[in-house]
Amino acid sequence: MLVGGLPRGDVATPGATTAPATLPPAPAAAATSPASASLGNDSEIVSVVQELASSVVTVVTRSQAGRVGSGSGFVVDAQRGYVITNEHVVADPNGTSVGASFEIIFPDNRRVTAKLIGRDRDTDVAVLEVGAQSVKPLVLGNSDDAPIGARVIAIGSALGDFRNSVTVGVLSGKGRRLQSDSDPNIFLEDLIQTDAAISPGNSGGPLILAASRQVIGMNTLVIRVRGSEGLGFAVSSNTVRQIADELIKNGKVERGRIGILYQSLSAREAASRGLPENTSGVLISEVVPGSAGASAGLRAGDIVLKVNDLQIDPEHPLLTIMLRYRPGDKVRLTVFRDGKEQSVELTLARPT
């Protein structure tokens, strides 16, 4: 598994700043004609790129030691100058700190110093600020509405040198879960899979739904193993919007914690418990002592099916669902235990 950024050196952490406003909500899905949705319509691809590529940028990260790394990003608010990119693009190779300084290079070769607003390692999202810009901001669409098989366009600075490289493919899958290459303890959730070519340096660039001209994902990693092709992944636009909004407001994301270790419920495990094989949920492998889950009586072996009536499934993983909840929030879990469902209520705690 390869993360799409380019190497960086040791870096220091600047303080995050705050801003009052949020990003615009996802627009309603636009109706498309058969011609606009045609996989063979090359003029559509050209038109999308001509319209949107000016807002796709190169992000240069410099360490205190002078090492330089780069990735991609895109403008989502031109008036306030917000650029979204991957957290690992602004982080050092060890993922324990961030760059000492940042520079944004626009397609017309303008160079602008950027300020880090905030970053979130759990979702690989970061927000930079560059001041007001005369470009058309990209729109974050509703990734839940994007149909599998639809044509998508990836734009980014391949290898850091080939700026605004364009690749085209289809939306291959949604709701993917993969281990982060930069931190083995982090699993990225709700990823969008695509066969559009993604190279080192493309990290942080947009994955655009051609028919709507809206961003449905932020390119983040590619799997390259023997015999595999076309396994690129992007953070879903719904996750990007939610995390970016909180970073803009607070400079950080503080999540409420249940305090469990878990794995996705397999068909075999579901069947062994008397559940239908297609049952979605998570199987608790360990409950952290002293956690909210322990106080509420959760046990290893419990199967969590829902959070506040929202079903846990591949397109709505538990970690993604929990992004919306903060310490002190009360949630109700639907738990399958001893052959029957029951409700468990708990108050989420702060990370320890």
Side-chain angles (χ1 to χ4, degrees):
M1 183 184 301
L2 300 175
V3 174
L6 293 178
R8 291 159 295 279
D10 295 332
V11 285
T13 306
T17 59
T18 61
T22 60
L23 301 177
T32 59
S33 66
S36 67
S38 170
L39 294 181
N41 191 348
D42 290 342
S43 63
E44 177 193 39
I45 304 301
V46 173
S47 176
V48 171
V49 173
Q50 290 177 339
E51 179 182 347
L52 304 180
S54 63
S55 288
V56 182
V57 301
T58 301
V59 179
V60 178
T61 301
R62 291 183 172 84
S63 73
Q64 286 186 326
R67 295 181 65 184
V68 179
S70 67
S72 302
F74 56 99
V75 177
V76 291
D77 187 321
Q79 183 176 359
R80 293 177 291 169
Y82 291 140
V83 171
I84 291 178
T85 186
N86 279 141
E87 191 276 341
H88 75 258
V89 169
V90 300
D92 70 12
N94 295 323
T96 57
S97 58
V98 297
S101 64
F102 309 96
E103 184 179 48
I104 299 299
I105 306 175
F106 284 87
D108 61 3
N109 290 322
R110 285 185 302 114
R111 294 174 177 262
V112 181
T113 299
K115 176 173 63 177
L116 180 66
I117 294 296
R119 63 184 182 128
D120 182 60
R121 296 187 70 203
D122 285 349
T123 54
D124 204 13
V125 175
V127 179
L128 296 165
E129 184 179 17
V130 295
Q133 300 294 322
S134 299
V135 296
K136 180 176 182 177
L138 303 194
V139 176
L140 291 170
N142 185 343
S143 50
D144 283 350
D145 290 343
I148 293 175
R151 172 157 288 201
V152 292
I153 306 167
I155 308 177
S157 298
L159 303 181
D161 295 320
F162 302 102
R163 298 174 194 163
N164 276 49
S165 295
V166 177
T167 56
V168 177
V170 298
L171 196 166
S172 306
K174 298 193 292 184
R176 305 306 197 204
R177 183 176 191 258
L178 290 173
Q179 187 178 43
S180 169
D181 190 57
S182 59
D183 188 335
N185 297 314
I186 294 177
F187 283 82
L188 300 176
E189 308 266 4
D190 197 24
L191 297 177
I192 288 176
Q193 180 183 340
T194 180
D195 67 347
I198 296 174
S199 303
N202 279 137
S203 276
L207 186 68
I208 301 167
L209 186 66
S212 66
R213 305 192 177 204
Q214 296 169 5
V215 176
I216 59 166
M218 176 172 60
N219 301 318
T220 187
L221 59 87
V222 60
I223 295 179
R224 290 197 181 108
V225 295
R226 195 172 199 177
S228 71
E229 291 184 15
L231 291 175
F233 296 88
V235 182
S236 74
S237 58
N238 287 353
T239 296
V240 170
R241 181 188 302 101
Q242 187 173 38
I243 297 303
D245 275 344
E246 187 144 354
L247 293 175
I248 291 169
K249 289 178 183 177
N250 304 319
K252 62 180 181 179
V253 177
E254 188 176 55
R255 296 181 177 85
R257 301 292 188 184
I258 299 175
I260 59 173
L261 302 180
Y262 65 89
Q263 61 192 42
S264 296
L265 181 65
S266 66
R268 177 178 297 180
E269 186 67 37
S272 72
R273 302 294 188 92
L275 290 165
E277 291 186 2
N278 62 351
T279 301
S280 294
V282 297
L283 175 64
I284 297 178
S285 57
E286 182 181 341
V287 180
V288 179
S291 66
S295 299
L298 292 178
R299 308 172 190 170
D302 284 347
I303 296 172
V304 183
L305 302 172
K306 298 179 181 179
V307 179
N308 287 346
D309 295 326
L310 183 58
Q311 178 69 51
I312 301 169
D313 59 31
E315 291 194 10
H316 302 91
L318 178 58
L319 181 57
T320 303
I321 294 172
M322 295 306 298
L323 294 178
R324 68 190 68 188
Y325 298 112
R326 300 298 172 255
D329 288 349
K330 293 182 179 181
V331 298
R332 183 181 68 260
L333 307 181
T334 300
V335 175
F336 187 82
R337 177 194 297 167
D338 298 331
K340 60 182 180 180
E341 290 186 11
Q342 56 185 282
S343 292
V344 175
E345 295 187 355
L346 56 84
T347 301
L348 300 174
R350 281 184 164 77
T352 57

